[in-house]
Each structure stands twice: as structure tokens, then as C-alpha cells.
Amino acid sequence: MTSPWGESLPRGLVVLVFLSFVVGLVACQRPRPTASGSGDGRVLTVPAIVVAAPAAGAVVASPLTVAGTASLDSATQTLVGMVFSVDETGEHWRGNASIAVQPDGRFAGNIVYTAATAGPGIVQLAVIDGAAGTVMARQRVDVQLAAAPAP
């Protein structure tokens, strides 16, 4: 085998490159963990965030109460609640709060928001990994926001 510059490559280097390629291919084929199944071929998954309140379509007022369950690592992750209003130009941030999660995964908290007028809105809960700054899971609920003018 020759190098791109026309020189002959040592046989040991050629073997080393070939073995590295084979090991890389084998590593790509290793089994990966999957979600637990139901036994009949269906995959069952448990959402990382389950929102019990507010209910979809509910009319909410500031401060609005959120409740449910969340799976997170309390040492490195945080549950954050956000409120957005929605109009013809898109979604607009109206407020947020960090929500405390109990050791058993239950959470309940309040999010204060401001909105000049009533209308469609979104309550979104997200598990944020503090070290990486990434969103690990999110759940949204479409609601109707009551007006909440700024103080």
C-alpha cells in the first residue's frame, strides 16, 4: 500500500489501520438499552414529566399552579415551569419559575406571569441539566391565560 504522496507505507501501519476500522465497526454494532416492553411486542415508555395541573384548555390566572410528577436527578437537574402567550405572530414568554420536586418525583409550584390581555397560552415544564445546559425532557399544556397586567 502506498501513501497519498507515493511513498510505501509500513506493513504494521496498514494492519493497525485495518484493525482500528474493524474495531470501530464492531463497536457500532453493540446492543443498546431499550425501553421496557409489554411482552406482546409493544414498547411501553413512561414520560419524564406528567402534568396533573393545569388541565389542557383550562383558564388559568397568575400565579398559576402546576402539579404532577417528574423523573430527574435532583443533584444535577432542575424542573423549570414557563408560561407563553400565543398570538398570530407566535409564542411570547410571559414568566417562569423553578419548581421543587420531592424525592418521590411529585412536584407542585406556582408560576407568576404577566400578560396585558387574555388569550391562548402554553404552560411548559422542562427538566434542565445544569451542567450541560440542555433540556432533558419537556411537556406542554395548551391553556387559556387570564389577563395579568404588570404591577
Side-chain angles (χ1 to χ4, degrees):
M1 181 177 239
T2 58
S3 72
W5 331 214
E7 300 171 356
S8 188
L9 292 175
R11 183 178 181 107
L13 181 60
V14 172
V15 170
L16 181 63
V17 169
F18 177 75
L19 286 175
S20 297
F21 178 73
V22 170
V23 168
L25 283 176
V26 169
C28 289
Q29 300 303 317
R30 75 181 191 282
R32 290 173 173 70
T34 58
S36 59
S38 64
D40 62 1
R42 294 179 295 145
V43 175
L44 301 177
T45 58
V46 176
I49 303 169
V50 176
V51 181
V59 177
V60 298
S62 183
L64 71 87
T65 299
V66 294
T69 59
S71 299
L72 56 83
D73 177 356
S74 61
T76 60
Q77 298 173 337
T78 305
L79 182 64
V80 176
M82 296 159 278
V83 177
F84 300 89
S85 63
V86 180
D87 63 22
E88 62 278 349
T89 63
E91 299 173 358
H92 307 280
W93 175 84
R94 297 296 174 197
N96 64 280
S98 180
I99 308 296
V101 179
Q102 303 301 314
D104 65 359
R106 290 181 297 141
F107 67 84
N110 294 318
I111 306 170
V112 175
Y113 70 87
T114 58
T117 60
I122 299 167
V123 176
Q124 180 171 281
L125 292 155
V127 173
I128 310 293
D129 184 280
T134 57
V135 175
M136 305 304 292
R138 78 178 68 189
Q139 189 67 272
R140 75 181 254 166
V141 178
D142 295 327
V143 295
Q144 291 294 315
L145 300 177

